[in-house]
Amino acid sequence: MRGLKRRFDRSPIAQIAVSFVLVAGVFRWADPDEPVALWLLRGALITGGVAAVFLLRRRSVLSALRVDSEELRLAERQLWKGRIPEDPHERDVMRGLVARRRQEMGTRPWALYGFLGILALIPVAYASAGRWPAALIALLCGTAFTAWLFWMRHHTLRRLDHMEKALGRSPDARAFTHSGNRSD
């Protein structure tokens, strides 16, 4: 099972495929009478948009930290599990990752609130069309997803605090956190 999880972690295509199945499944569940092509199209558009944002963000992090995707995956895994790297290079990568995540969470709250605003419009659109079961399902799914997002944000901030304290903040990490640019 660990081998399958490891391969899944390394494959953005597999992650996008699973996301598409889940999103399309929610649309299918919300309105089973809807034509198949319509819920597949909605699932593809939403999954494609989210995947594009995440892939662009990942590319930005890779270039800012000057690491390859495997080093970034390892650092993210260590951050998630709260493991402090022993290797000096890995510690520097972790400092940069923590600084980057802290910056993203501090300077982009508008992205979260904008996303939640769009998410709130989905049940409103269903309700205005008179599709009350779909509106209720969208409202319940949106509420659960919003609660999960805020819980995850809180948990991530705690992880960042823990890792920052364990690693100590380098002058480079402070500069990266406050200015948004990494100095060499």
Side-chain angles (χ1 to χ4, degrees):
M1 189 60 134
R2 283 184 186 233
L4 181 63
K5 168 89 170 88
R6 193 171 292 129
R7 282 197 311 222
F8 182 76
D9 285 347
R10 292 180 182 165
S11 173
I13 300 299
Q15 294 169 6
I16 291 168
V18 168
S19 298
F20 169 73
V21 169
L22 290 173
V23 169
V26 166
F27 282 119
R28 182 68 175 160
W29 181 51
D31 190 4
D33 297 330
E34 192 172 63
V36 173
L38 192 55
W39 58 263
L40 286 175
L41 178 64
R42 285 182 184 158
L45 288 174
I46 290 172
T47 304
V50 171
V53 168
F54 279 105
L55 291 173
L56 288 172
R57 180 178 168 265
R58 184 170 181 82
R59 181 180 294 165
S60 169
V61 171
L62 287 170
S63 67
L65 296 179
R66 296 183 182 102
V67 295
D68 62 18
S69 61
E70 185 60 27
E71 285 178 303
L72 179 60
R73 189 188 68 75
L74 177 66
E76 286 174 338
R77 188 79 155 160
Q78 289 174 329
L79 178 60
W80 182 260
K81 293 190 178 238
R83 294 184 187 147
I84 312 303
E86 296 295 326
D87 182 275
H89 173 69
E90 289 179 4
R91 290 175 74 89
D92 288 341
V93 170
M94 183 62 76
R95 278 188 190 96
L97 180 62
V98 168
R100 177 76 181 211
R101 295 288 184 253
R102 173 111 24 226
Q103 177 196 25
E104 288 173 349
M105 294 186 83
T107 61
R108 298 181 187 165
W110 57 267
L112 174 64
Y113 297 124
F115 175 72
L116 294 178
I118 292 170
L119 194 62
L121 291 177
I122 295 171
V124 170
Y126 277 132
S128 67
R131 297 171 64 188
W132 295 103
L136 181 61
I137 289 171
L139 180 64
L140 291 175
C141 289
T143 302
F145 187 64
T146 300
W148 176 79
L149 277 176
F150 279 106
W151 176 83
M152 201 58 190
R153 179 177 171 79
H154 173 74
H155 196 65
T156 300
L157 286 170
R158 282 188 19 225
R159 280 190 183 122
L160 292 173
D161 289 342
H162 167 73
M163 189 62 71
E164 207 168 53
K165 287 175 187 170
L167 291 172
R169 293 185 66 179
S170 70
D172 184 45
R174 277 193 293 277
F176 186 56
T177 301
H178 297 297
S179 70
N181 296 326
R182 187 173 183 148
S183 59
D184 291 330

